[in-house]
């Protein structure tokens, strides 16, 4: 734990985990420096389209399932008011950068200040370069010109990158890779940033439909023929909630999560940003996606210790 509250940057590659390859020369080293694991999701509803999936999974990360379910309900009820991020986490100020209209709408509904990618570069064409974008995003967190600002800043910034997100010719997984490299470069070269910046990179698989997706399992179930032993196996914590089994946990295609903060995060044995490497060598194992924001808020001194 840092001696001061951290500020959190969450870089979310929505549906981009399938495209990670050795060509991502910043993502893979980042995994080797970070604490790696998985975020378990529920199963997708049968009638869900891609736009709905994008918002639902974003809502899972924010532990805002109830707000999402209300937003898609086909009933004439009045819109309910849901607690904002600030109301839930001790006044935490949060922003999101995205060009997805559905994510913008939902983010605003749960209390995020919403920015588009164009707003990050509207005053300077050169800012469209990922290196300049990284500087602008860090400014939102109060890191600028060698100083750490303490007023009029956001304590949490989400950066949402989808397959079609494009800046200055760089898009999708390549944009995520470039941003990771630029953030790391600044965090490691500027000590005032590195000691205060808690950085999470989340990569999701998107719609999980193919047979090959069923091979991306985070849990090996006990042999079904050995019924007596199967009762002796305890359920892992991500499959429990309030002492009861969770009824809807998808065991395949979890989100990949790597977290890093200089001098704070413990390092595991993972060497690449890959499912198999995280499974065999990651130190963070599996947590439910709806616990992620609570864990990050703890690093910002905006929530009690997760699990305590």
């Amino acid at each position: 734990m840092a001696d001061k509250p951290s500020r959190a940057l969450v870089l979310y590659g929505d549906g981009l985990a399938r495209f990670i390859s050795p060509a991502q020369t910043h993502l893979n080293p980042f995994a080797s420096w970070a604490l790696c694991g998985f975020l378990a999701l529920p199963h997708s509803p049968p009638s869900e389209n891609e736009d709905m999936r994008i918002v639902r999974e974003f809502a899972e990360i924010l532990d805002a399932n109830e707000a999402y379910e209300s937003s898609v309900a086909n009933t004439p009820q009045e819109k309910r008011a849901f607690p904002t991020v600030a109301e839930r986490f001790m006044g935490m100020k949060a922003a999101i950068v995205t060009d997805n209209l559905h994510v913008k709408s939902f983010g605003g509904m749960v209390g995020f200040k919403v920015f588009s990618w164009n707003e990050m570069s509207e005053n300077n064409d050169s800012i469209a370069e990922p290196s300049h974008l990284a500087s602008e995003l860090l400014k939102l967190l109060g890191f600028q010109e060698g100083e750490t600002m303490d007023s009029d800043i956001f304590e949490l910034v989400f950066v949402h990158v989808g397959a079609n997100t494009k800046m200055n010719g760089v898009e999708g997984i390549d944009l995520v890779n470039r941003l990771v490299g630029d953030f790391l470069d600044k965090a490691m070269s500027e000590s005032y940033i590195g000691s205060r910046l808690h950085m999470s990179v989340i990569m999701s698989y998107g719609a999980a439909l193919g047979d090959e997706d069923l091979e991306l399992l985070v849990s090996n179930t006990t042999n079904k023929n050995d019924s007596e032993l199967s009762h002796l196996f305890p359920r892992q914590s991500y499959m429990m909630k309030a002492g009861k089994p969770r009824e809807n946990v998808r065991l395949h295609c979890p989100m990949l999560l790597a977290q890093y903060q200089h001098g704070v995060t413990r390092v595991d044995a993972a060497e690449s940003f890959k499912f198999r490497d995280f499974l065999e060598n990651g130190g963070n194992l599996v947590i439910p996606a709806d616990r992620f924001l609570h864990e990050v808020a703890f690093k910002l001194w905006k929530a009690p210790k997760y699990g305590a």
Side-chain angles (χ1 to χ4, degrees):
M1 188 70 178
D3 60 354
K4 296 179 181 178
S6 304
R7 293 167 190 179
L9 176 73
V10 180
L11 185 53
Y12 176 30
D14 186 1
L16 301 181
R18 302 177 188 280
F19 305 108
I20 299 174
S21 72
Q24 276 69 61
T25 54
H26 299 301
L27 263 176
N28 288 303
F30 177 74
S32 71
W33 300 323
L35 177 65
C36 303
F38 303 102
L39 300 177
L41 292 162
H43 290 279
S44 303
S47 59
E48 183 175 75
N49 60 35
E50 181 65 2
D51 288 336
M52 295 170 69
R53 179 203 65 76
I54 289 171
V55 180
R56 178 181 59 81
E57 292 188 355
F58 178 54
E60 284 287 336
I61 297 172
L62 303 183
D63 190 18
N65 305 340
E66 189 178 356
Y68 168 74
E69 290 169 4
S70 175
S71 71
V72 298
N74 295 316
T75 59
Q77 299 174 349
E78 275 187 40
K79 271 195 171 181
R80 290 180 53 193
F82 293 94
T84 65
V85 173
E87 290 169 338
R88 293 166 57 201
F89 295 105
M90 301 168 61
M92 182 170 68
K93 295 176 65 178
I96 182 169
V97 181
T98 180
D99 279 341
N100 184 286
L101 296 178
H102 303 285
V103 173
K104 283 183 177 181
S105 177
F106 186 79
M109 186 175 78
V110 294
F112 279 74
K113 172 69 174 178
V114 179
F115 296 93
S116 68
W117 283 99
N118 286 337
E119 286 179 279
M120 302 304 297
S121 59
E122 63 183 0
N123 296 322
N124 188 338
D125 291 339
S126 66
I127 291 177
E129 289 285 350
S131 59
H132 295 293
L133 280 170
S135 295
E136 291 300 301
L137 291 165
L138 289 171
K139 282 182 182 179
L140 294 179
L141 290 166
F143 299 120
Q144 54 183 321
E145 299 178 357
E147 296 183 4
T148 304
M149 313 303 291
D150 291 319
S151 60
D152 296 324
I153 57 96
F154 295 98
E155 293 150 306
L156 168 68
V157 173
F158 258 81
V159 181
H160 176 264
V161 179
N164 298 321
T165 304
K166 184 175 183 178
M167 293 299 295
N168 199 36
V170 185
E171 62 184 327
I173 187 65
D174 293 323
L175 179 58
V176 172
N177 183 61
R178 288 277 298 275
L179 286 170
V180 167
D182 291 327
F183 287 132
L184 281 179
D185 180 63
K186 294 179 185 302
M188 290 182 173
S189 63
E190 304 282 357
S191 60
Y192 78 101
I193 295 178
S195 63
R196 298 286 299 277
L197 179 65
H198 184 269
M199 183 173 168
S200 301
V201 178
I202 301 173
M203 304 294 287
S204 76
Y205 284 93
L209 300 174
D211 292 339
E212 69 277 7
D213 294 334
L214 300 179
E215 298 177 4
L216 301 173
L217 285 169
V218 292
S219 174
N220 290 322
T221 55
T222 308
N223 191 325
K224 292 181 180 179
N225 296 323
D226 196 354
S227 57
E228 292 184 5
L229 286 179
S230 67
H231 292 296
L232 300 178
F233 267 73
R235 285 181 177 267
Q236 294 187 39
S237 60
Y238 72 92
M239 299 185 71
M240 305 291 292
K241 186 174 184 178
K244 298 180 181 179
R246 286 179 179 253
E247 297 180 355
N248 184 9
V249 180
R250 191 178 78 192
L251 297 180
H252 63 280
C253 293
M255 293 177 170
L256 309 183
L257 169 66
Q259 296 179 298
Y260 173 78
Q261 183 172 357
H262 180 69
V264 175
T265 311
R266 73 179 188 269
V267 180
D268 54 34
E271 296 182 350
S272 62
F273 214 113
K274 284 289 188 179
F275 175 89
R276 183 57 54 183
D277 204 349
F278 281 22
L279 185 66
E280 295 176 356
N281 302 309
N284 212 25
L285 304 178
V286 186
I287 67 172
D290 62 17
R291 296 296 91 191
F292 167 76
L293 188 56
H294 295 264
E295 191 170 273
V296 170
F298 170 68
K299 300 295 193 301
L300 312 186
W301 298 8
K302 295 293 182 179
K305 172 62 177 172
Y306 167 67

